[in-house]
Amino acid sequence: MPPASTLTWTFARFDALGVRDLYDALQLRALVFGVEQHCIYLDPDGVDPLSAHLIGRDAEGALRAYLRVVDPGVKYAEPSLGRVVTHPEVRGGGLGRVLLAEGLARCDAAWPGHANRISAQAHLAAFYAGFGYQPVGDSYLEDGIPHLEMWRPPCPAPRMPMPSHPATA
C-alpha cells in the first residue's frame, strides 16, 4: 500500500468533477457499499450535486479514498460528511484517518464555528469518536446495517478553503 502522504487530493463541487473522477467515485462506492457490504439502496441519491467531493489518488492515478462533504440543510442542519470509503486493497494503513482529517479540515474551513453531523456505521463509532464525534440517540438500521447518528462540536479554526458552490460563485 502506498503511504497516505503520497496521495494526490482533489476537492471539487459536483459540477466541477471530471467524468473520470465521478465514474471512479461511483465505482468505488458500489464496490464497497454494494458488493462488499451488500447494501441495497440507490447510491446516486440526489445529494451528490449538493456536495463537494474529496478524491484521493495514488501515484498511478488509482482512486484509493473518497468522501463527500454535504452542505448544511441538505441532510442535517449542520454540514455533514458521507460516503466515507477507502479501497479494500489499501485498508489497514491509516488511510481512513487521513481521509477523514482531510474532509473535516475542508468542512471546518467552509463553515467555521459549525458543528458536523453524520450517520455512521455503528461498528465505526470508536473511529469517529477519535475525531470528536459523539453518539446522538440510539442505534438504527440503515440499508440493513446498524448506524448511529453522531455529532461533532464546532471547530473554530479554518485550515483549507472549500470550493465555492455554483449558486454562490
Side-chain angles (χ1 to χ4, degrees), residues 110-154:
W111 300 285
H114 285 234
N116 190 277
R117 190 175 299 267
I118 61 173
S119 176
Q121 291 185 6
H123 74 278
L124 294 172
F127 170 77
Y128 288 108
F131 289 89
Y133 285 96
Q134 306 157 9
V136 177
D138 296 325
S139 177
Y140 55 92
L141 280 181
E142 183 177 314
D143 307 318
I145 297 174
H147 278 69
L148 284 171
E149 186 174 317
M150 298 186 81
W151 180 84
R152 179 178 174 260

Side-chain angles (χ1 to χ4, degrees), residues 57-105:
R57 293 185 180 277
D58 65 18
E60 289 77 40
L63 181 63
R64 296 302 184 197
Y66 168 88
L67 63 71
R68 68 182 181 189
V69 177
V70 182
D71 291 353
V74 175
K75 293 188 72 147
Y76 304 107
E78 303 89 349
S80 179
L81 302 182
R83 302 294 200 263
V84 179
V85 61
T86 57
H87 197 285
E89 293 175 354
V90 296
R91 287 199 197 126
L95 182 54
R97 293 186 188 289
V98 173
L99 172 64
L100 199 64
E102 290 280 339
L104 285 170

